[in-house]
Amino acid sequence: MRGLNDLSDLSREEVDALIELAIRLEHHPEPEALAGKVLALFFLSPSLRTSTSFQAAMTRLGGGSFIVSPESAIHGLEFAPDVKMDGDKAEHIREAIPVLASYGDALGIRAFAPKRSLEDDIDDREFQSMSALSTVPVINMESAIRHPCQSLADWKTLDELDVPSSGGKFVLSWANHPRALPLAVPASTVHMAAMRGMDVTVLRPEGFALPDRVMARARRAADLSGGSVAETSDARDALNGAHVVYAKAWSSAKHYGNDDAERELKKDLAHWCVTESWFEGATPECRFMHCLPVRRGVVVTPNVLEGPRSLVIQQARNRMWAQMAILHSILATSS
Ligand code: CP
């Protein structure tokens, strides 16, 4: 495998093989598999799970890693393509990325959406232009519109619990949040569940429909897998018979980049917080998922988050096994 940009770049067979490898590495450690290999990790946006799980993954496979972020006392970074650098910023991204790549055998990049243009973010323009500067395989650690490592870990989590793929009802629900959060996780999650062959319902209030291009892409994945993708603002209808409720806050595509307009749109939506009553019409074994970090009492109540339905810790732990499989596939066979 040469890097990982998106789960949709992989076939169903390739995803299954990665999950099989993740399970193998979980139960049969290979502490020498990546001996002498180095993973460079470039974080332009914050993280707890991604940063630590990638470091843990490399250590468990016998390799090493280093992290660089704007907080780690690097020179101020300039991203603008044609600029005279006579201000505060002393380092251009066009040199920074090739330099970091030259120290590693693979490069992980995290860069949240710039939110200047919805179309540019759906095209993942900034991430793609940074990736193109790397001379080694790039792993997308969350870009404007993609979070493939989260999706692979979530897929493994669903498999472990025997959540049905064919005929399994997966509800991706918008949740309230004080901030206008990116589209990467909801876009990747709806695609992952559709690719897995599930019947996916996107539940969201008016004004928070996922962009048409995101939904169309998920529908194409569902056509191939035998799943389906629907959307509604009717919670009772969406949650009826659900096997999974995956909560996530995301920005309004309608007011993308306009925080004031979004705040106005959300002022009466505080009840979009997952409580136990959400599961009344669901299957008895219905699970609660969230990628974390999560705001307690805003996105979900603590009793659901800490209750038997909740898979959040298992999802986070599976990040490490899933990423070990990704790293093994990229680096174990490269010379
Ligand atoms: N879920 C996730 O990517 O977590 P972090 O933002 O903490 O890395």
Side-chain angles (χ1 to χ4, degrees):
M1 198 162 82
R2 186 161 168 84
L4 179 62
N5 179 48
D6 194 8
L7 222 53
S8 67
D9 296 337
L10 305 177
S11 65
R12 173 67 192 248
E13 291 70 31
E14 287 170 323
V15 171
D16 286 343
L18 275 175
I19 291 175
E20 216 169 283
L21 178 55
I23 294 167
R24 190 184 93 204
L25 294 170
E26 182 178 358
H27 298 288
H28 304 283
E30 293 187 22
E32 303 293 330
L34 299 188
K37 301 286 184 184
V38 174
L39 175 66
L41 296 165
F42 192 26
F43 279 89
L44 292 162
S45 306
S47 165
L48 185 148
R49 278 144 291 275
T50 307
S51 56
T52 51
S53 58
F54 263 109
Q55 291 174 93
M58 276 308 278
T59 302
R60 283 176 185 267
L61 291 169
S65 59
F66 64 85
I67 290 198
V68 177
S69 76
E71 283 73 46
S72 49
I74 62 174
H75 308 285
L77 270 176
E78 180 60 77
F79 291 82
D82 299 306
V83 66
K84 183 175 176 182
M85 290 172 60
D86 57 358
D88 290 346
K89 296 171 182 166
E91 181 96 68
H92 202 285
I93 195 77
R94 292 189 67 83
E95 285 80 51
I97 292 213
V99 166
L100 293 175
S102 76
Y103 301 143
D105 298 288
L107 172 67
I109 304 176
R110 166 168 281 200
F112 292 169
K115 292 184 85 176
R116 288 185 287 271
S117 148
L118 178 59
E119 292 307 313
D120 283 357
D121 286 351
I122 293 175
D123 287 336
D124 227 358
R125 271 185 193 277
E126 184 169 285
F127 189 86
Q128 297 312 324
S129 62
M130 284 195 280
S131 291
L133 297 168
S134 176
T135 49
V136 294
V138 172
I139 302 170
N140 184 331
M141 301 196 298
E142 190 174 339
S143 61
I145 202 70
R146 300 185 168 105
H147 200 352
C149 300
Q150 183 69 51
S151 290
L152 191 65
D154 291 344
W155 191 318
K156 179 177 184 291
T157 307
L158 293 167
D159 283 1
E160 279 169 353
L161 290 155
D162 292 327
V163 175
S165 47
S166 173
K169 186 170 184 184
F170 187 100
V171 179
L172 171 65
S173 179
W174 184 85
N176 187 37
H177 198 282
R179 295 181 52 224
L181 295 190
L183 293 167
V185 171
S188 296
T189 303
V190 68
H191 196 276
M192 176 277 294
M195 195 177 171
R196 192 172 177 266
M198 302 185 77
D199 293 322
V200 187
T201 300
V202 179
L203 170 62
R204 79 294 180 280
E206 295 307 327
F208 288 91
L210 288 174
D212 290 345
R213 286 172 62 196
V214 169
M215 292 299 282
R217 215 167 58 98
R219 286 199 173 99
R220 282 196 296 276
D223 287 346
L224 287 174
S225 68
S228 64
V229 178
E231 62 181 324
T232 182
S233 53
D234 183 334
R236 186 188 292 266
D237 185 42
L239 297 165
N240 188 38
H243 293 86
V244 176
V245 175
Y246 196 118
K248 186 72 186 84
W250 64 78
S251 291
S252 165
K254 204 169 151 190
H255 298 297
Y256 199 69
N258 183 344
D259 289 355
D260 290 341
E262 172 150 340
R263 211 169 293 118
E264 179 65 20
L265 195 62
K266 286 198 287 203
K267 70 180 190 323
D268 297 322
L269 299 177
H271 59 287
W272 283 76
C273 170
V274 179
T275 64
E276 190 54 36
S277 67
W278 281 45
F279 298 90
E280 279 164 11
T283 60
E285 68 279 11
C286 184
R287 304 296 189 160
F288 172 78
M289 298 180 79
H290 190 284
C291 62
L292 301 181
V294 70
R295 297 219 181 197
R296 287 164 174 252
V298 178
V299 169
V300 58
T301 53
N303 63 324
V304 172
L305 186 62
E306 294 177 9
R309 299 183 185 286
S310 178
L311 300 180
V312 298
I313 303 300
Q314 194 168 333
Q315 287 173 262
R317 183 163 167 76
N318 273 328
R319 291 290 304 275
M320 182 174 69
W321 305 120
Q323 288 155 199
M324 283 169 70
I326 293 164
L327 292 165
H328 196 286
S329 298
I330 295 170
L331 295 173
T333 51
S334 68
S335 54

